[in-house]
Amino acid sequence: MQINVAQLLKSDTGTIRAYAVDSEVEIEGVIHPVKGELTFINIGKKILATGKLTTTANFTCSRCLQPFITDLSLKIEDEYYPSVDVNTGFKVDAPEDEDAFIIDEHHTLDLSEAIRQYILLALPMKPLCRQDCAGICQTCGHDLNEGKCECPSEAIDPRWADLLKLKKNTRGTVTEKRGKEGRRQNGPTT
Protein backbone atom coordinates (compact mmCIF):
# COMPACT_ATOMS: atom_id res chain seq x y z
CA MET A 1 0.00 0.00 0.00
CA GLN A 2 1.93 2.95 -1.30
CA ILE A 3 0.74 6.56 -1.44
CA ASN A 4 2.61 9.48 -2.98
CA VAL A 5 2.64 12.34 -0.46
CA ALA A 6 4.74 14.88 -2.43
CA GLN A 7 1.90 17.43 -2.61
CA LEU A 8 1.12 16.99 1.08
CA LEU A 9 4.79 17.57 1.99
CA LYS A 10 4.74 20.78 -0.12
CA SER A 11 1.56 21.98 1.64
CA ASP A 12 1.39 24.08 4.78
CA THR A 13 1.71 22.51 8.21
CA GLY A 14 -1.68 21.25 9.32
CA THR A 15 -2.86 20.29 5.82
CA ILE A 16 -4.97 17.11 5.87
CA ARG A 17 -5.64 14.50 3.19
CA ALA A 18 -8.01 11.54 3.60
CA TYR A 19 -7.62 8.27 1.72
CA ALA A 20 -9.91 5.26 1.46
CA VAL A 21 -8.04 2.00 1.90
CA ASP A 22 -9.02 -1.21 0.12
CA SER A 23 -5.90 -3.32 -0.18
CA GLU A 24 -4.15 -6.47 1.00
CA VAL A 25 -1.20 -7.14 3.30
CA GLU A 26 0.76 -10.38 3.34
CA ILE A 27 1.87 -11.87 6.65
CA GLU A 28 3.81 -15.14 6.62
CA GLY A 29 2.31 -16.17 3.29
CA VAL A 30 -1.27 -15.32 4.30
CA ILE A 31 -3.06 -12.46 2.50
CA HIS A 32 -5.16 -10.22 4.77
CA PRO A 33 -7.70 -7.90 3.08
CA VAL A 34 -7.54 -4.44 4.67
CA LYS A 35 -10.29 -1.80 4.43
CA GLY A 36 -10.95 1.54 6.09
CA GLU A 37 -9.96 5.17 5.95
CA LEU A 38 -6.71 6.91 6.79
CA THR A 39 -5.93 10.58 7.30
CA PHE A 40 -2.50 12.04 6.55
CA ILE A 41 -1.54 15.30 8.25
CA ASN A 42 1.49 17.44 7.45
CA ILE A 43 2.95 18.11 10.92
CA GLY A 44 6.01 20.06 9.91
CA LYS A 45 8.87 17.98 8.67
CA LYS A 46 6.95 14.71 8.78
CA ILE A 47 3.56 13.13 8.02
CA LEU A 48 1.21 11.75 10.68
CA ALA A 49 -0.93 8.84 9.48
CA THR A 50 -4.04 8.08 11.56
CA GLY A 51 -7.19 6.10 11.00
CA LYS A 52 -9.15 2.94 11.52
CA LEU A 53 -8.83 -0.19 9.43
CA THR A 54 -10.44 -3.61 9.55
CA THR A 55 -9.22 -6.99 8.37
CA THR A 56 -10.12 -10.64 8.77
CA ALA A 57 -7.91 -13.43 10.03
CA ASN A 58 -8.11 -17.22 10.10
CA PHE A 59 -7.53 -18.93 13.44
CA THR A 60 -7.72 -22.30 15.12
CA CYS A 61 -9.65 -22.21 18.40
CA SER A 62 -7.34 -22.92 21.32
CA ARG A 63 -10.06 -24.90 23.13
CA CYS A 64 -11.89 -26.98 20.50
CA LEU A 65 -9.24 -26.84 17.75
CA GLN A 66 -11.83 -25.87 15.10
CA PRO A 67 -10.87 -23.31 12.42
CA PHE A 68 -12.74 -19.99 12.40
CA ILE A 69 -12.54 -16.53 10.84
CA THR A 70 -12.81 -13.30 12.82
CA ASP A 71 -12.63 -9.56 12.18
CA LEU A 72 -9.80 -7.46 13.60
CA SER A 73 -9.98 -3.69 14.16
CA LEU A 74 -6.80 -1.69 13.77
CA LYS A 75 -6.29 1.84 15.07
CA ILE A 76 -3.39 3.33 13.12
CA GLU A 77 -1.24 6.21 14.33
CA ASP A 78 2.31 6.55 13.00
CA GLU A 79 4.73 9.23 11.89
CA TYR A 80 6.58 9.06 8.56
CA TYR A 81 9.80 10.97 7.94
CA PRO A 82 10.93 12.08 4.48
CA SER A 83 14.33 10.89 3.25
CA VAL A 84 14.57 13.70 0.68
CA ASP A 85 13.47 17.35 0.94
CA VAL A 86 10.51 17.69 -1.43
CA ASN A 87 11.43 21.28 -2.41
CA THR A 88 15.21 21.03 -2.88
CA GLY A 89 15.74 17.33 -3.64
CA PHE A 90 18.55 17.17 -1.09
CA LYS A 91 18.86 14.24 1.26
CA VAL A 92 17.41 14.82 4.76
CA ASP A 93 19.07 13.61 7.97
CA ALA A 94 17.62 10.32 9.18
CA PRO A 95 15.50 10.45 12.35
CA GLU A 96 17.10 9.43 15.65
CA ASP A 97 14.71 6.48 16.02
CA GLU A 98 16.16 3.64 13.93
CA ASP A 99 12.72 1.98 13.66
CA ALA A 100 10.98 5.12 12.33
CA PHE A 101 9.00 4.79 9.11
CA ILE A 102 10.65 6.55 6.17
CA ILE A 103 9.10 8.17 3.08
CA ASP A 104 11.27 7.10 0.13
CA GLU A 105 13.20 9.38 -2.27
CA HIS A 106 10.18 9.43 -4.63
CA HIS A 107 8.00 10.80 -1.79
CA THR A 108 6.08 7.52 -1.56
CA LEU A 109 4.78 6.49 1.82
CA ASP A 110 4.52 2.70 2.18
CA LEU A 111 1.97 1.60 4.79
CA SER A 112 2.49 -2.16 4.36
CA GLU A 113 4.98 -2.66 7.19
CA ALA A 114 3.03 -0.52 9.67
CA ILE A 115 -0.23 -2.33 8.91
CA ARG A 116 1.53 -5.70 9.15
CA GLN A 117 2.77 -4.74 12.63
CA TYR A 118 -0.69 -3.56 13.72
CA ILE A 119 -2.25 -6.83 12.53
CA LEU A 120 0.33 -8.86 14.45
CA LEU A 121 -0.39 -6.83 17.60
CA ALA A 122 -4.16 -7.34 17.17
CA LEU A 123 -3.91 -11.13 16.92
CA PRO A 124 -5.22 -12.76 20.11
CA MET A 125 -2.76 -14.82 22.13
CA LYS A 126 -5.40 -17.45 22.85
CA PRO A 127 -7.95 -17.37 19.98
CA LEU A 128 -11.42 -18.63 20.85
CA CYS A 129 -14.16 -19.40 18.32
CA ARG A 130 -16.59 -18.03 20.92
CA GLN A 131 -16.34 -17.00 24.57
CA ASP A 132 -18.31 -20.00 25.90
CA CYS A 133 -16.43 -22.63 23.85
CA ALA A 134 -16.55 -25.91 25.80
CA GLY A 135 -13.36 -27.29 24.24
CA ILE A 136 -12.62 -30.98 23.72
CA CYS A 137 -12.71 -33.98 26.03
CA GLN A 138 -9.22 -34.62 27.38
CA THR A 139 -9.78 -38.36 27.22
CA CYS A 140 -11.42 -39.05 23.84
CA GLY A 141 -10.99 -35.72 21.98
CA HIS A 142 -14.74 -35.25 21.33
CA ASP A 143 -15.78 -31.64 20.61
CA LEU A 144 -17.87 -30.76 23.69
CA ASN A 145 -19.63 -27.96 21.75
CA GLU A 146 -21.46 -30.75 19.87
CA GLY A 147 -22.65 -32.43 23.08
CA LYS A 148 -21.31 -34.55 25.93
CA CYS A 149 -19.01 -37.46 25.23
CA GLU A 150 -19.45 -40.97 26.61
CA CYS A 151 -16.37 -40.90 28.84
CA PRO A 152 -16.87 -41.47 32.60
CA SER A 153 -17.30 -38.13 34.32
CA GLU A 154 -14.66 -38.86 36.96
CA ALA A 155 -11.80 -40.52 35.13
CA ILE A 156 -9.05 -41.20 37.65
CA ASP A 157 -5.44 -41.28 36.60
CA PRO A 158 -4.19 -44.75 37.68
CA ARG A 159 -0.98 -43.20 38.99
CA TRP A 160 -3.00 -41.40 41.69
CA ALA A 161 -5.30 -44.32 42.62
CA ASP A 162 -3.23 -45.50 45.63
CA LEU A 163 -2.96 -41.94 46.94
CA LEU A 164 -6.74 -41.48 46.67
CA LYS A 165 -7.29 -44.72 48.64
CA LEU A 166 -4.94 -43.44 51.34
CA LYS A 167 -6.81 -40.14 51.46
CA LYS A 168 -10.17 -41.92 51.89
CA ASN A 169 -8.80 -44.20 54.64
CA THR A 170 -7.21 -41.39 56.67
CA ARG A 171 -10.01 -38.83 56.37
CA GLY A 172 -11.91 -40.15 59.40
CA THR A 173 -8.73 -40.59 61.48
CA VAL A 174 -7.62 -36.97 60.97
CA THR A 175 -11.05 -35.67 61.98
CA GLU A 176 -11.07 -37.78 65.17
CA LYS A 177 -7.60 -36.53 66.21
CA ARG A 178 -8.58 -32.90 65.70
CA GLY A 179 -11.69 -33.41 67.81
CA LYS A 180 -9.71 -34.87 70.75
CA GLU A 181 -7.04 -32.16 70.57
CA GLY A 182 -9.73 -29.49 70.50
CA ARG A 183 -11.25 -30.79 73.75
CA ARG A 184 -7.90 -30.80 75.54
CA GLN A 185 -7.17 -27.22 74.52
CA ASN A 186 -10.45 -25.97 75.90
CA GLY A 187 -9.34 -26.87 79.40
CA PRO A 188 -10.65 -29.31 81.98
CA THR A 189 -14.36 -29.79 82.29
CA THR A 190 -15.97 -30.09 85.68
Side-chain angles (χ1 to χ4, degrees):
M1 264 180 17
Q2 298 181 343
I3 298 171
N4 189 300
V5 291
Q7 291 302 315
L8 184 57
L9 287 168
K10 289 179 182 177
S11 302
D12 295 331
T13 300
T15 303
I16 299 172
R17 300 275 191 271
Y19 294 92
V21 176
D22 188 2
S23 187
E24 296 175 336
V25 173
E26 182 179 346
I27 300 176
E28 298 175 3
V30 178
I31 304 295
H32 295 272
V34 179
K35 294 183 180 191
E37 189 170 302
L38 292 175
T39 302
F40 297 101
I41 306 168
N42 181 332
I43 55 171
K45 298 182 179 183
K46 54 191 171 187
I47 301 290
L48 176 65
T50 62
K52 292 183 181 180
L53 302 175
T54 59
T55 187
T56 58
N58 297 319
F59 294 103
T60 300
C61 181
S62 61
R63 287 186 190 159
C64 68
L65 306 178
Q66 295 296 319
F68 70 100
I69 298 172
T70 191
D71 294 330
L72 298 174
S73 295
L74 313 172
K75 186 178 178 200
I76 307 293
E77 186 170 327
D78 278 309
E79 295 176 344
Y80 289 80
Y81 297 84
S83 58
V84 174
D85 186 292
V86 72
N87 296 315
T88 65
F90 292 122
K91 197 167 192 161
V92 177
D93 292 334
E96 292 178 18
D97 183 5
E98 294 176 7
D99 296 328
F101 293 111
I102 304 295
I103 301 169
D104 72 11
E105 63 275 358
H106 303 291
H107 314 295
T108 302
L109 185 148
D110 189 358
L111 292 163
S112 301
E113 177 58 21
I115 293 173
R116 186 189 76 80
Q117 291 178 17
Y118 278 100
I119 290 173
L120 289 173
L121 288 172
L123 296 175
M125 293 179 77
K126 187 176 179 181
L128 296 176
C129 60
R130 61 180 201 242
Q131 286 301 112
D132 63 340
C133 177
I136 60 173
C137 174
Q138 294 179 9
T139 305
C140 68
H142 175 74
D143 186 350
L144 298 174
N145 293 315
E146 297 173 2
K148 291 188 101 181
C149 64
E150 296 180 15
C151 293
S153 60
E154 287 191 33
I156 297 172
D157 187 337
R159 295 173 291 182
W160 295 102
D162 290 338
L163 188 58
L164 289 173
K165 287 178 191 173
L166 180 63
K167 180 180 175 184
K168 288 178 184 176
N169 291 340
T170 59
R171 186 170 276 166
T173 309
V174 171
T175 307
E176 289 173 16
K177 285 183 180 178
R178 285 188 184 156
K180 290 178 182 176
E181 289 173 4
R183 278 184 248 140
R184 279 191 230 135
Q185 290 175 353
N186 290 336
T189 54
T190 53

